[in-house]
Amino acid sequence: MLYAQTMAMGIIAVHGGLDTSREKQYMEILQEAALQGHELLSKNRIQALEAVLRVLEESSKFNCGYGSVLNFDGVVEMDAAIIDGVSNRFAAVAAIQDVEHPISVARALLEKTSNVILAGAGAVKFARKQGFPTANCVSKEQREAWRQARESLARGEKPAQNLYTGLAYYADTVGCVVWDGEGLAAASSTGGYSLKTPGRVGDTPSLGGGIFASKTCAVVCTGIGETFIETLTAKYVDEVIAGGSEPQQAVKSALKRLHKLKKAEGGILAVNARGMVGAAFNAGRFPVVVVADGKLLDHYQPVNLTQELSVH
Ligand code: GLY
């Protein structure tokens, strides 16, 4: 899909995570997030990304910020990252607790320090120093789902909940890529996956694994983070686009490679420096919203490779 003729106001593409519902209420929040980001895109692409992700972190429907999945010990530990393809600056927080907006902490790290990743207690300490107050990220639904899952495990049964959401309904890691007519940037935020090992860090803050941006493209991934880290999938997308492929071809090729190397499922979203968007997935759902030149593209559909690349 080419928007280069109407590039003046740029592109924002947002995904709501692997397996996330495409029901109206989810799509409306994604649309609201994308439109809010677009308002800021001509001013500051990093601020635009932050605005998009803050909307999603505030909603309990997505696996990020408030409403994130709980780890094995019943604690929310979140990862968030932001990268500017123009300055090559990257910053991320990993396994951070008790902050409402991990993406804002990552942005503060990007803009106010020369550090690249802060994790755990150090990330929380930095957040407090920057004025981010203590916030509860555990929703009642997630607490209850975690209790049920632990009970199932204690009985020797597999928990019935969705791995990404911890719940019977679906929602997962969120990500956003932008092109403002001059440069590319990307951001992601996540609670990881349900019942993960405490301290575990996924692909969201893994540069080249689950996120990347350069002068060529911006890309974000969703799925089981370990598979993206070990295959450097986001960097692979960048290389394929640098080699002359369009984003749609590149994300399909990356997903096929991920499947071949890891038998994994995933969702990948990318935009290039001509404003072309590519999105593909091989799981239940992968809701994507695109705003081009200030207009919401109705019914944007990522390519569904589920039949071709089934992992079950
Ligand atoms: N993609 C989210 C995670 O594995 O942490």
Side-chain angles (χ1 to χ4, degrees):
M1 212 174 286
L2 179 64
Y3 306 113
Q5 289 84 357
T6 52
M7 64 168 76
M9 292 165 70
I11 301 279
I12 284 206
V14 189
H15 77 77
L18 203 63
D19 275 352
T20 298
S21 171
R22 286 187 52 84
E23 282 170 26
K24 196 165 171 267
Q25 47 184 324
Y26 291 80
M27 298 309 287
E28 280 177 356
I29 297 168
L30 287 173
Q31 288 167 359
E32 183 199 325
L35 288 167
Q36 280 198 24
H38 199 274
E39 290 283 304
L40 297 162
L41 191 56
S42 60
K43 200 168 132 201
N44 181 327
R45 61 185 162 269
I46 299 299
Q47 199 179 342
L49 283 168
E50 182 192 18
V52 171
L53 266 63
R54 280 176 70 98
V55 171
L56 304 176
E57 286 176 342
E58 268 158 36
S59 164
S60 65
K61 296 202 175 302
F62 298 88
N63 179 12
C64 58
Y66 178 71
S68 287
V69 298
L70 275 55
N71 70 13
F72 191 81
D73 289 349
V75 173
V76 164
E77 289 185 322
M78 302 164 286
D79 302 334
I82 196 157
I83 176 166
D84 182 20
V86 177
S87 64
N88 291 321
R89 283 285 289 126
F90 170 76
V93 289
I96 192 169
Q97 298 181 19
D98 303 327
V99 290
E100 187 179 12
H101 290 299
I103 195 63
S104 298
V105 185
R107 183 182 174 198
L109 191 66
L110 183 92
E111 294 182 344
K112 296 183 180 168
T113 81
S114 57
N115 289 145
V116 172
I117 303 177
L118 288 184
V124 176
K125 194 170 173 187
F126 171 75
R128 301 288 175 256
K129 268 195 182 161
Q130 293 296 320
F132 296 100
T134 303
N136 169 44
C137 297
V138 182
S139 67
K140 275 192 188 142
E141 269 178 312
Q142 288 291 355
R143 172 64 66 202
E144 176 56 20
W146 172 81
R147 194 189 60 73
Q148 286 177 20
R150 288 294 303 262
E151 276 180 14
S152 300
L153 288 176
R155 289 194 300 269
E157 295 165 10
K158 194 170 171 247
Q161 288 86 354
N162 178 276
L163 188 64
Y164 304 111
T165 68
L167 300 171
Y169 67 79
Y170 302 102
D172 187 29
T173 304
V174 300
C176 181
V177 291
V178 301
W179 176 69
D180 63 3
E182 288 185 0
L184 295 146
S188 264
S189 184
T190 189
Y193 65 77
S194 181
L195 300 179
K196 66 185 181 180
T197 303
R200 176 264 187 193
V201 173
D203 60 317
T204 294
S206 165
L207 183 61
I211 186 167
F212 199 74
S214 65
K215 293 187 173 53
T216 303
C217 83
V219 54
V220 285
C221 307
T222 172
I224 296 296
E226 285 74 359
T227 65
F228 287 93
I229 295 170
E230 289 183 336
T231 57
L232 285 178
T233 290
K235 183 69 181 101
Y236 173 82
V237 171
D238 181 70
E239 281 164 13
V240 173
I241 294 175
S245 294
E246 295 187 349
Q248 194 58 72
Q249 274 174 279
V251 295
K252 279 167 71 177
S253 164
L255 209 54
K256 287 179 184 176
R257 176 175 169 272
L258 181 77
H259 183 260
K260 188 172 164 204
L261 294 174
K262 292 285 175 188
K263 279 271 171 288
E265 53 188 16
I268 308 175
L269 172 65
V271 61
N272 71 3
R274 289 196 289 149
M276 300 165 82
V277 174
F281 69 109
N282 65 331
R285 284 159 286 266
F286 184 48
V288 173
V289 164
V290 178
V291 171
D293 282 347
K295 290 193 194 75
L296 201 55
L297 300 187
D298 279 342
H299 312 302
Y300 179 87
Q301 293 281 358
V303 171
N304 184 348
L305 297 178
T306 310
Q307 294 228 313
E308 193 181 331
L309 306 179
S310 169
V311 296
H312 300 295

